[in-house]
């Protein structure tokens, strides 16, 4: 991927985004250069595949940048390039499948994790949430995105995210019960 976008010579970084990074109104380009838009969308397309199948640690920043891919400014393109710099410096990381179940997890038990980032969008003040389902130490379902409704507090956003995750959890429990 680095070669495809001529990024082989960049120095690696330790994090996919700077601490506290968020897209601000001044980072948005109203009339972006079509070349920047095409480049950013192409790079993000490659990163979406990577985040979905290989590197869950870049999911948040990739999803955030995807929201603004049609308004590509110099700042947003640089933020996208930074994700590649992070990947270059962390080639040794990735998903690991092992027969060993992580300490503290019961075998054949379904675990569900949810989290939200209350009102993190500076444009809409909507909340980003995610859900992850694990069994035997393997993540087999992950969803991240904006909540479909506006929430008035962190507590409310957590409850909304849990309610959105419940149908997936109940379906998986039923499915696992059928296959025993």
């Amino acid at each position: 991927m680095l070669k495809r976008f001529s990024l082989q010579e960049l120095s690696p970084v330790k994090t996919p985004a700077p601490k506290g990074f968020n897209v601000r109104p001044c980072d948005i380009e109203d009339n972006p250069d079509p070349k920047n838009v095409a480049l950013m969308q192409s790079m993000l397309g490659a990163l979406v595949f990577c985040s979905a199948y290989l590197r869950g640690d870049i999911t948040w920043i990739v999803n955030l940048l995807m929201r603004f891919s049609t308004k590509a400014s110099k700042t947003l393109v640089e933020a996208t390039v930074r994700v590649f710099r992070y990947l270059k410096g962390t080639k040794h990381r990735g998903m690991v499948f092992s027969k060993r179940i992580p300490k503290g997890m019961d075998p054949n038990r379904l675990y569900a994790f949810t989290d939200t980032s209350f009102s993190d969008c500076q444009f809409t003040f909507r909340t980003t949430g995610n859900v992850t389902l694990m069994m035997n130490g393997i993540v087999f379902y992950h969803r991240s995105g904006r909540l479909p409704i506006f929430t008035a507090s962190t507590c409310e956003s957590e409850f909304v995210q849990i309610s959105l995750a419940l149908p997936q959890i109940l379906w998986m429990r039923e499915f696992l019960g059928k296959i025993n």
Side-chain angles (χ1 to χ4, degrees):
M1 274 193 333
L2 293 170
K3 193 174 188 178
R4 177 179 168 194
F5 299 108
S6 303
L7 302 173
Q8 310 93 297
E9 303 303 319
L10 292 176
S11 58
V13 293
K14 294 184 181 203
T15 60
K19 186 176 182 175
F21 177 80
N22 208 340
V23 178
R24 301 164 300 171
C26 63
D27 296 331
I28 303 301
E29 191 77 42
D30 287 331
N31 296 312
D33 180 358
K35 289 180 183 177
N36 277 352
V37 172
L39 174 64
M40 186 169 164
Q41 289 178 342
S42 183
M43 288 193 297
L44 286 171
L47 291 172
V48 164
F49 173 84
C50 218
S51 73
Y53 297 105
L54 306 169
R55 298 291 299 267
D57 54 338
I58 63 170
T59 301
W60 177 83
I61 187 66
V62 171
N63 285 345
L64 177 66
L65 293 170
M66 286 290 291
R67 292 179 197 163
F68 304 100
S69 64
T70 60
K71 306 281 187 182
S73 66
K74 183 181 176 191
T75 304
L76 295 177
V77 172
E78 287 172 359
T80 305
V81 169
R82 183 186 171 103
V83 179
F84 281 96
R85 292 175 61 200
Y86 169 72
L87 291 175
K88 181 179 182 181
T90 58
K91 290 179 186 177
H92 61 282
R93 293 185 184 169
M95 292 188 188
V96 177
F97 298 98
S98 171
K99 290 182 179 181
R100 190 176 59 215
I101 297 170
K103 195 174 188 174
M105 290 191 144
D106 296 331
N108 299 322
R109 184 171 183 178
L110 178 65
Y111 288 87
F113 303 93
T114 64
D115 192 21
T116 60
S117 182
F118 175 65
S119 193
D120 62 333
C121 180
Q122 294 183 2
F123 300 95
T124 63
F125 299 104
R126 286 179 49 201
T127 300
T128 303
N130 68 66
V131 60
T132 301
L133 299 182
M134 279 180 85
M135 191 163 146
N136 293 332
I138 298 173
V139 173
F140 61 88
Y141 177 82
H142 178 80
R143 182 193 168 281
S144 178
R146 288 187 189 161
L147 296 185
I149 62 171
F150 179 81
T151 55
S153 68
T154 302
C155 184
E156 183 183 3
S157 64
E158 294 285 351
F159 276 111
V160 169
Q161 183 59 44
I162 291 168
S163 70
L164 292 171
L166 273 175
Q168 185 68 34
I169 295 166
L170 294 174
W171 180 87
M172 186 52 63
R173 281 184 59 193
E174 184 179 332
F175 174 76
L176 292 172
K178 287 181 180 178
I179 63 171
N180 200 5

